[in-house]
Amino acid sequence: MRHFNYTLTPTGINNARAKEKPYKLTDGGGLYVAVAPTGKKTWRYQYALDGKRPEVTIGGYPEISVAEARERHAEYRALVERGIDPAKHKQEEKRVRLAQSDDSGTFLAFSKVWVQEKLQNKSETYRTQAVSMLARFVWPEIGAKRLCDIKPMDILKIIERRRETPVTAERIRGYVQRVFDYAIQKLVVDVNPALPLRGVIERPPVEHHRHLVGNEIGAFWLSLARQRAHFITLAAAKLLVFSMCRKSEVLRARWKEFDLQGATWEIPAERMKARTAHRVYLPKQAVELLQLLQKLTGKGEYAFHSVQGVTVPLADATLNHLFKRLDFGVDSFSPHGTRGTAATFLREHGFSRDVVELLLAHKERNQVTASYHHHELEDERRRALQYWANQLDVLAAVEKERHAA
């Protein structure tokens, strides 16, 4: 397919204001954001087919991020090149899902059972991703088929179409394999047609999240302070660093979880990767930051709500885009790298492995040890996060002075 240089950025879309009449923000290749007089923003794709210029709605922004919209744009462009109308294809996908939802013998019906019975203890993010991939890539192709009629070739066709995105292809195959693993356990089928396809599409080598060392930490903190992003976005990035939490845990934080007077943040089990409640002992810098943020978003449910509406949190890609814009001499530093940076720094400055593991909310396998950790080390954890926050300011000041010299 022809390559397009996309032009839109989350900042540009966020800053687009409503006008008296609807208008378009063009991204490239027929993809655009329609801005309604009400302020609602919707991704759409207009294409040429059979001498006409129809269009298909992809979804609302920011619910559909820039990256997700472009991924779906590529899928729809591929359909057009094959002479398939994306709008009609989308309608057919919906028809198949609705028509087969009550047939207990189909892949569609059993995969929903798998989600309900096997993913209930997984994180909300994992469940959402699994259902989204099944709904977009698998159910339209084999959802109507009975489990016993699905062959390796059926699954191969699905993942071959995603060969250009090998990580996505393997995730799809993995979800199908796990559905069939459960079907075998329930004595519904005898074989797993996804199993022999493991490795058909090679995944690229895993790139571990780079963490910062030495004066890179001060340069990063200084660069973040100088960013001209929305305050909600900057506050989310700073709390991510202060707390050593995961990105999803920060972005979906609710005000009811915070006790600013007690300087604590109680993250419920259902939002944690290990499905165990986690307490963060907030340093004073984080409390001051949240007090400022509360004046802006405190009337809503989410601490870091979308700039487009108070009822939804910031999109997952928001911090990724912010970190890509940072210019402090280190390429490819991601939000997840902040956890490794803080953990390494604290270990190098005398804090024990037990304290750091608790700060990272890593699950303790030994239940006796886990019980001990739950009741102890609170002072050490509070002291560690305060030390980390203090050193961020110190390192940033040193870096600023170094550049001024």
Side-chain angles (χ1 to χ4, degrees), residues 241-254:
V241 180
F242 285 140
S243 67
M244 296 176 63
C245 288
R246 297 175 180 85
K247 181 175 66 175
S248 63
E249 294 157 7
V250 171
L251 294 181
R252 292 168 179 78
R254 292 169 168 84

Side-chain angles (χ1 to χ4, degrees), residues 119-131 248 252 254 269-273 275 302 313:
L119 302 190
Q120 59 180 335
N121 292 324
K122 297 291 185 180
S123 69
E124 179 182 348
T125 300
Y126 183 91
R127 289 196 307 274
T128 300
Q129 183 185 69
V131 172
S248 63
R252 292 168 179 78
R254 292 169 168 84
E270 61 268 21
R271 293 210 306 107
M272 295 298 298
K273 183 177 180 180
R275 313 303 287 171
Y302 293 102

Side-chain angles (χ1 to χ4, degrees), residues 254-303:
R254 292 169 168 84
W255 278 117
K256 66 180 182 181
E257 298 170 1
F258 293 102
D259 175 7
L260 298 186
Q261 188 172 2
T264 57
W265 173 22
E266 302 284 352
I267 308 177
E270 61 268 21
R271 293 210 306 107
M272 295 298 298
K273 183 177 180 180
R275 313 303 287 171
T276 301
H278 178 57
R279 176 179 292 174
V280 180
Y281 296 96
L282 299 167
K284 64 179 182 180
Q285 292 90 332
V287 172
E288 291 170 357
L289 176 72
L290 288 167
Q291 287 171 338
L292 290 174
L293 181 67
Q294 197 170 43
K295 296 177 181 178
L296 184 62
T297 69
K299 293 182 179 180
E301 176 183 6
Y302 293 102

Side-chain angles (χ1 to χ4, degrees), residues 366-382:
N366 184 298
Q367 293 302 310
V368 175
T369 305
S371 177
Y372 170 78
H373 282 168
H374 179 73
H375 294 291
E376 303 295 335
L377 305 181
E378 294 185 5
D379 290 342
E380 290 89 336
R381 289 156 65 187
R382 190 181 291 277

Side-chain angles (χ1 to χ4, degrees), residues 212 216-225 241 323 326 328 333 338:
L212 305 179
E216 292 176 346
I217 299 175
F220 157 73
W221 199 238
L222 194 61
S223 177
L224 184 61
V241 180
F323 274 55
L326 296 179
F328 63 101
F333 182 57
T338 60

